[in-house]
Amino acid sequence: MDIRGMRYFVAIVEHGSLTRAAEVAHVAQPALSQQLAALEAELGVALVHRGAKGVKPTEAGRTLYRHARAILKQIDVARADVKVAGADIAGTVAIGLPTTAAAAFGMPLVRAVRQRYPGVRLQLFESMSGYIAELLNNNRLDFAILFRDTPSRAVELEPLASEALYLVGTPPVSAASKRHRARSGKEATIALKALADVPLVLPSGAQGLREVLERHASGAGIRLQVVADLDSLPILLQTAREGLACTILPASSLSREPDDDALPTRLILPELDRTLSLCWPRALPRTAAADAVAEALREIVAAKIAEGGSLKPARA
């Protein structure tokens, strides 16, 4: 395997088309096809499935893709380190933010990077946490914010903050009757076990929020009444606004639309929270630029915690 062949293969997987990959790589398609065939012959396995709708990686292809991304990243890092040795921080930093985190930290981070590190090119991916985790596992991100509290063999975690979760929307009368006022007399609450009676729309099982909820529900001996899996924050909120079902979100998720101020919210008791963690892929080297952007993000999160809003320090 050579570097050029790995770059071509990565382009094929990411674009799902030999034609498009050839255009991006600035090479003739027959030459690209020959490179792919030579790579498959060298490794002795099929790397892609060819079909009418394009090409998709085989299991062997997905494995090679992950390694190729890591190797190419290492080469890019070495090249950048040599070029900027003794100079200002520069380079490309790719980060992933789930939709709710992007709403809170996206623009402050863009401003901070532009002000402090004009030589850094920021690539910000906003999506549901399941897709962000997939990008991270495939070594396509320098780091990401994810709602996790346990590391893995592929990902190293740095807890930054925690957020309480709220029932959003108007629950049925039987469940609503179980809510009560907190000691302050200001904040409506609902018992965790009462959620078994509430029709819910939630992100799918691949998302961090859903994993937290399912784990707590199981611990309480209840089964959540999920009527739809919706991997879209705007649609989750609109469903709650229209009274079709309730959803469960942190308070920070309610700041995107003016109408969200009128949405009923109830703190779930015993209190449920999710941990906001800085996640680094173990297979990739950390660049000076990535470390600098991560430090800026830490400062933004710390400032949000100091404001006294929904974000709290991460639990030990």
Side-chain angles (χ1 to χ4, degrees):
M1 289 187 290
D2 59 24
I3 301 303
R4 182 176 61 179
M6 283 191 286
R7 290 195 186 278
Y8 288 167
F9 180 70
V10 166
I12 292 169
V13 172
E14 292 185 350
H15 294 283
S17 162
L18 291 173
T19 301
R20 178 59 182 149
E23 292 173 356
V24 172
H26 304 291
V27 63
Q29 183 178 330
L32 189 72
S33 298
Q34 289 175 3
Q35 285 281 344
L36 176 59
L39 196 57
E40 290 181 319
E42 178 183 350
L43 296 174
V45 293
L47 296 174
V48 298
H49 295 296
R50 297 163 176 81
K53 295 184 178 180
V55 297
K56 293 184 178 180
T58 62
E59 186 61 34
R62 285 190 288 270
T63 300
L64 177 60
Y65 173 77
R66 289 194 298 271
H67 285 290
R69 286 287 311 186
I71 292 168
L72 294 174
K73 179 67 175 180
Q74 181 73 62
I75 292 170
D76 291 341
V77 168
R79 183 181 292 114
D81 284 349
V82 171
K83 286 183 176 180
V84 304
D88 293 335
I89 291 174
T92 299
V93 179
I95 66 174
L97 297 177
T99 303
T100 52
F105 312 124
M107 279 310 303
L109 183 61
V110 172
R111 294 188 193 103
V113 171
R114 289 301 302 145
Q115 291 168 2
R116 300 182 193 180
Y117 312 113
V120 170
R121 178 181 177 182
L122 191 64
Q123 293 182 336
L124 196 157
F125 296 83
E126 175 190 349
S127 187
M128 299 298 286
S129 59
Y131 179 65
I132 296 298
E134 182 180 341
L135 291 178
L136 194 69
N137 290 334
N138 283 328
N139 299 319
R140 294 187 63 181
L141 302 175
D142 287 282
F143 65 85
I145 289 289
L146 288 174
F147 303 107
R148 290 185 181 177
D149 52 15
T150 54
S152 68
R153 289 193 303 173
V155 176
E156 180 180 347
L157 297 189
E158 177 188 335
L160 297 179
S162 64
E163 271 189 305
L165 297 176
Y166 290 76
L167 180 72
V168 180
T170 303
V173 175
S174 60
S177 65
K178 298 181 182 180
R179 62 181 169 84
H180 62 278
R181 295 288 175 181
R183 291 183 180 180
S184 65
K186 297 180 180 179
E187 187 171 43
T189 62
I190 186 168
L192 172 61
K193 290 193 174 183
L195 296 181
D197 301 324
V198 180
L200 295 171
V201 287
L202 296 174
S204 67
Q207 314 306 332
L209 176 62
R210 181 66 171 271
E211 292 176 357
V212 169
L213 294 173
E214 294 287 3
R215 185 169 68 246
H216 283 285
S218 176
I222 64 170
R223 184 173 182 177
L224 299 176
Q225 190 185 147
V226 181
V227 298
D229 301 289
L230 306 176
D231 286 344
S232 167
L233 178 59
I235 297 178
L236 287 171
L237 291 172
Q238 187 60 33
T239 302
R241 290 188 200 104
E242 295 185 14
L244 301 176
C246 294
T247 189
I248 297 174
L249 294 167
S252 62
S253 301
L254 308 179
S255 59
R256 287 197 156 194
E257 299 289 343
D259 292 345
D260 289 348
D261 291 338
L263 270 174
T265 60
R266 294 168 174 82
L267 180 67
I268 301 168
L269 296 178
E271 190 170 309
L272 307 186
D273 59 29
R274 62 179 185 176
T275 300
L276 188 77
S277 294
L278 190 62
C279 301
W280 298 88
R282 297 184 189 273
L284 293 185
R286 297 190 190 184
T287 66
D291 279 333
V293 173
E295 183 57 29
L297 183 55
R298 292 185 190 98
E299 293 175 8
I300 291 168
V301 173
K304 291 283 187 182
I305 293 173
E307 290 174 3
S310 61
L311 281 183
K312 307 295 180 186
R315 297 188 178 184

